[in-house]
Amino acid sequence: MNKATRRAVIAGNWKMNKTPAEAIELINAIKAEIEGKDVSGCEIVTCVPYVDLVPVMEAAKGSPIKVGAENVHFAAS
């Protein structure tokens, strides 16, 4: 692997702790933070709970933010 051409991956999840509305707020805050910045050298990924997938995918549409899903867990949060 050539480290000179390798892209960094910045990923995060929130372990079932955001409602869909809170998830949209977070995505909008991330979009505002990266607006106008060169993020071509990295991939930005957020992994969300099932209930947040559709709202987050809509909120991230048109941005460099990629969306993944968390696994299922028995706990309430």
Side-chain angles (χ1 to χ4, degrees):
M1 178 181 301
N2 184 345
K3 288 187 178 184
T5 59
R6 190 171 140 191
R7 291 176 63 179
V9 176
I10 301 169
N13 62 13
W14 44 77
K15 298 291 183 206
M16 306 181 301
N17 290 310
K18 298 266 184 237
T19 66
E22 291 169 333
I24 292 168
E25 285 180 36
L26 180 58
I27 294 301
N28 288 335
I30 294 169
K31 288 190 327 189
E33 185 66 33
I34 63 175
E35 186 176 352
K37 295 179 180 164
D38 180 13
V39 295
S40 62
C42 66
E43 290 188 58
I44 302 167
V45 183
T46 183
C47 296
V48 303
Y50 172 79
V51 296
D52 296 337
L53 275 173
V54 173
V56 167
M57 286 171 33
E58 286 297 317
K61 197 177 283 184
S63 78
I65 301 168
K66 294 181 172 72
V67 180
E70 291 182 343
N71 62 344
V72 177
H73 196 271
F74 61 85
S77 69

